[in-house]
Amino acid sequence: AVLMPNGGSRTLTPPAADSFALSRGKGLWVKRVAGGAASVILKGQVTEAKQATEVSEGFNLLGYGAVAAFDLNDLDWSGAYGVNGISAASSDRILVDSGNGSFKTYYYYYKEGVSGYYAQFQNKWVESTGTGPQLASPIAAGQGFWYQRRGTGSFTFRPDGQ
């Protein structure tokens, strides 16, 4: 498994993986051969508290401890950056692994002075469909995702506004 806490990588194979400590609030990404089976067994305490996480410039691995699928647009994203509606080059984006080697990409929609039909997308996560924006699809329970911060500085992701 390739574990990537704090953006670094470390390859561990059993039995070394048996002693890899993962601090509360940290995540991991498991890289495996496509089509190959993979089992990851975690042990220890599982918190039910929501974790505030700093989102810095560049790529950040995030997760949300939900027991059911969740809507990105139901969470607090104060500090997310969007520009000129959907800007594939400038707006913050979220990438969700589709499980087949591809990613579903959502952009943070913000446009100065937006009105009419497009007002419903203001400050929301949307997908570009070629015919206009569409609100983000729910994310499966336990599914982590990459947040690419394109705005300057950082902000704190507070999943439940705490």
Side-chain angles (χ1 to χ4, degrees):
V2 177
L3 307 173
M4 300 174 69
N6 298 324
S9 64
R10 182 173 170 196
T11 302
L12 299 173
T13 55
D18 291 341
S19 61
F20 180 75
L22 186 64
S23 301
R24 183 171 286 161
K26 300 296 180 187
L28 60 101
W29 190 271
V30 177
K31 181 178 179 181
R32 62 181 180 80
V33 176
S39 296
V40 177
I41 300 170
L42 303 174
K43 64 181 181 177
Q45 296 177 332
V46 176
T47 183
E48 293 181 18
K50 303 300 184 240
Q51 176 76 34
T53 306
E54 182 177 353
V55 175
S56 303
E57 293 177 36
F59 282 92
N60 300 264
L61 179 59
L62 297 180
Y64 178 68
V67 295
F70 63 94
D71 186 336
L72 287 170
N73 290 314
D74 287 343
L75 306 179
D76 180 2
W77 293 101
S78 300
Y81 179 76
V83 62
N84 205 24
I86 298 174
S87 174
S90 302
S91 294
D92 285 2
R93 65 184 186 157
I94 286 177
L95 297 100
V96 181
D97 187 344
S98 297
N100 62 5
S102 68
F103 289 87
K104 191 81 155 172
T105 303
Y106 302 114
Y107 299 93
Y108 192 73
Y109 189 98
Y110 176 84
K111 187 169 187 166
E112 190 75 33
V114 69
S115 62
Y117 173 77
Y118 291 96
Q120 68 181 310
F121 304 113
Q122 187 75 335
N123 298 316
K124 301 282 187 190
W125 290 103
V126 299
E127 171 182 13
S128 178
T129 64
T131 60
Q134 177 177 323
L135 291 173
S137 301
I139 295 180
Q143 173 82 47
F145 50 91
W146 291 102
Y147 187 110
Q148 185 180 15
R149 173 70 169 167
R150 292 174 160 170
T152 57
S154 62
F155 72 94
T156 301
F157 166 56
R158 300 179 191 282
D160 290 326
Q162 81 278 24

